[in-house]
Amino acid sequence: MQKFAQKVVGLFDRFMPEPFSFGVLMTFMAMILAWSVTDATPVEVLVSWGQGLSSLLPFITQVSLTILFFFARSSWAGAAPFGSSRRPSEDCFEGLPLCSNFY
């Protein structure tokens, strides 16, 4: 079974494109499909793609910051596990000005 799995992984690594190139390829396929199915010109398809991407930027930023802040909060030494009612001890706030009012 292990040899079979190694062969499958080897084939997958050999023939599967990198994620970025796969994304670029799918983008061009979507643009060609939009151009051929609708009455839009290639320039209109490009402009629509740019406007759609720029409208997603606030959402992308919000999700990225949420992930970043939750990672930072969970990495903090004084963080209690999610859902627990345990409060950090006072000594974990040592050296952090104004943080003793956090809880």
Side-chain angles (χ1 to χ4, degrees):
M1 186 63 149
Q2 181 128 8
K3 287 183 179 183
F4 175 72
Q6 287 175 345
K7 286 182 182 181
V8 170
V9 168
L11 288 172
F12 187 83
D13 286 341
R14 184 174 179 188
F15 294 109
M16 188 65 182
E18 293 294 318
F20 180 75
S21 59
F22 190 68
V24 170
L25 177 69
M26 293 296 288
T27 300
F28 283 123
M29 288 175 57
M31 286 182 168
I32 290 170
L33 183 65
W35 181 37
S36 63
V37 172
T38 64
D39 294 333
T41 65
V43 173
E44 291 173 339
V45 170
L46 283 174
V47 169
S48 297
W49 182 82
Q51 289 173 346
L53 182 64
S54 64
S55 69
L56 287 175
L57 286 177
F59 174 71
I60 293 169
T61 304
Q62 179 182 7
V63 169
S64 299
L65 287 175
T66 302
I67 292 170
L68 175 73
F69 291 149
F70 272 102
F71 175 76
R73 175 66 176 98
S74 66
S75 298
W76 178 43
F82 180 76
S84 76
S85 59
R86 180 180 71 83
R87 295 173 63 159
S89 62
E90 290 298 322
D91 60 342
C92 76
F93 292 114
E94 189 174 312
L96 297 174
L98 302 176
C99 287
S100 60
N101 296 331
F102 184 76
Y103 283 98

